[in-house]
Amino acid sequence: MPYIIGFSGTVLTGPDSERNGLWSVDGCLTFTRPEASPDVVLDGWVLPGFVDAHCHIGLGPAGPVDAGEAEAQARADLDSGTLLIRDAGSPADTRWMQGGRDFPLLIRAGRHVARTRRYLRGFAHEVEPEGLVEAVRKQARDGDGWVKLVGDWIERSAGDLAPSFPAGVVRDAISAAHDEGARVTAHCFAEDTLDQMLDAGIDCIEHATGLLPRHLPRFVEQGVPIVPTLVNIATFPDIAAQAKPKFPVYAAHMLALWERRLERVGEAWEAGVQIFAGTDAGSVIRHGRIADEILALHAAGLPAAQALNAASWAARAWLGADGLAEGARADVVLFRDDPRRTLDTVAHPSHVVLGGRVVRHRENIHPALGIN
């Protein structure tokens, strides 16, 4: 007999679209009532599992973590309702976690590619400019269709943020990744780095704290989305305080980027730039904070439904994953209240269903009771 879950609440198939009557039959969604009664019935507003589009499974403050810690990270994300992760660079080989049975579905970007001694120690594959193209080709082959570049970092001799690699080399590296069938995203804090990456044909930008009005039309015209990671950007004042004694210009720059973080995201949204939710969990950011990122995007000016969209329907479509559709894998998160109207409810999922299995439930789970 198939294992059936019935969803008795309103089904949100998009930020502005609703349906009623959804079931999971052996892990696949259907809007057609099964002949058999469900084994359990879950109450609540139904959304596709959340997407964390910038997350680092297997990464800790000192670099790679062991399997037990990587599993704990993934389970924290799962418990928050995050059922799809785009891993934006990890020094740990997490392929053993893929498949989506026990952990969120994982799209790996391989390892960060950074300039030698121009990033956090132990995190990245570090190369000089002459080695960038080959390093990107390797990570494109090792990952799941994404490569992560570290576009800028502090240049100690200059005392401020600066691009990691020459513009021409970046252009060649992104072209090489495209030849390998991979998309490229880049860590970018500073203003000028965004020009370099847009010129080179980048596919996505992480953080984008240096957004200026001149950049916005190019992001829209080139169809380049932004993953702001506002949860992470909140750490900039601490970074600036630590750096100020030795690098006062860099510290002031980081504070200025932090001060305009919400304004810049709001301006990007108003201009029509695609924005997706990512927590930057790993290293110093704990896992399971997708709700905080959704709320931060709303505080930056995205309407509640669109802040949700950045972490659900639109994000899934961007990454090539199904939402709540006929025959889709049953990756579902439920809430007691409509999160479009009570956005704070995203911090308290009532049920999480991964591949047709209830992996978390807090309330309102019933045996079939003849309901179908």
Side-chain angles (χ1 to χ4, degrees):
M1 293 290 291
Y3 184 77
I4 301 173
I5 301 172
F7 301 99
S8 63
T10 302
V11 180
L12 300 181
T13 56
D16 302 308
S17 57
E18 302 177 1
R19 292 189 67 170
N20 289 291
L22 180 67
W23 294 263
S24 167
V25 180
D26 282 345
C28 292
L29 295 176
T30 182
F31 290 96
T32 301
R33 186 190 302 273
E35 292 184 5
S37 296
D39 295 275
V40 295
V41 176
L42 305 183
D43 298 333
W45 293 77
V46 183
L47 280 76
F50 285 142
V51 177
D52 191 335
H54 185 130
C55 189
H56 303 281
I57 301 291
L59 175 65
V65 300
D66 62 24
E69 179 59 26
E71 180 173 336
Q73 293 174 345
R75 291 196 182 281
D77 292 318
L78 187 67
D79 197 50
S80 74
T82 296
L83 303 185
L84 176 61
I85 289 172
R86 184 187 63 148
D87 191 295
S90 176
D93 186 346
T94 54
R95 280 173 280 202
W96 63 274
M97 305 181 76
Q98 292 186 300
R101 172 159 179 81
D102 299 311
F103 309 109
L105 289 170
L106 182 61
I107 299 172
R108 297 172 53 257
R111 195 167 186 177
H112 307 69
V113 182
R115 183 75 174 263
T116 309
R117 294 184 294 278
R118 289 280 304 281
Y119 196 49
L120 297 165
R121 186 178 301 173
F123 281 32
H125 178 65
E126 298 185 0
V127 295
E128 285 298 283
E130 60 271 20
L132 182 63
V133 171
E134 186 55 36
V136 164
R137 285 193 182 276
K138 181 181 186 303
Q139 296 305 320
R141 294 165 186 165
D142 287 349
D144 301 320
W146 283 93
V147 175
K148 168 74 174 294
L149 294 178
V150 178
D152 58 23
W153 200 249
I154 185 172
E155 172 58 70
R156 287 170 176 79
S157 63
D160 198 3
L161 292 167
S164 300
F165 298 100
V169 176
V170 171
R171 187 179 301 111
D172 290 345
I174 291 175
S175 178
H178 291 167
D179 288 345
E180 298 289 342
R183 290 184 279 184
V184 183
T185 193
H187 160 113
C188 297
F189 284 165
E191 295 83 354
D192 292 345
T193 316
L194 296 177
D195 296 292
Q196 181 192 71
M197 293 297 167
L198 290 167
D199 288 346
I202 197 77
D203 300 290
C204 180
I205 293 290
E206 313 298 311
H207 316 304
T209 48
L211 274 172
L212 295 173
R214 73 169 187 260
H215 298 128
L216 298 179
R218 297 193 64 190
F219 273 92
V220 175
E221 291 164 9
Q222 294 178 220
V224 178
I226 291 169
V227 184
T229 69
L230 291 170
V231 168
N232 179 42
I233 304 312
T235 67
F236 276 22
D238 290 339
I239 296 171
Q242 293 173 29
K244 187 174 181 179
K246 290 182 66 175
F247 303 108
V249 174
Y250 166 75
H253 195 176
M254 293 293 281
L255 274 178
L257 295 174
W258 172 79
E259 287 168 353
R260 289 201 63 234
R261 67 200 185 283
L262 299 182
E263 181 182 350
R264 282 173 164 144
V265 172
E267 289 171 352
W269 166 253
E270 291 293 336
V273 179
Q274 285 184 297
I275 294 173
F276 298 114
T279 65
D280 208 354
S283 183
V284 299
I285 305 296
R286 66 175 175 82
H287 286 258
R289 295 192 61 188
I290 192 63
D292 292 335
E293 188 66 20
I294 293 169
L295 292 168
L297 290 174
H298 181 49
L302 275 66
Q306 295 306 320
L308 283 169
N309 202 23
S312 55
W313 308 282
R316 284 180 164 272
W318 174 56
L319 293 174
D322 289 328
L324 302 181
E326 188 70 29
R329 177 184 153 101
D331 288 341
V332 175
V333 61
L334 292 88
F335 299 95
R336 182 178 56 192
D337 301 309
D338 183 351
R340 298 170 301 176
R341 294 171 176 80
T342 311
L343 190 59
D344 288 354
T345 197
V346 296
H348 307 288
S350 54
H351 309 292
V352 177
V353 177
L354 177 71
R357 295 183 301 119
V358 182
V359 295
R360 169 183 172 171
H361 56 86
R362 286 187 172 178
E363 56 187 30
N364 299 332
I365 182 168
H366 308 300
L369 301 177
I371 299 171
N372 63 357

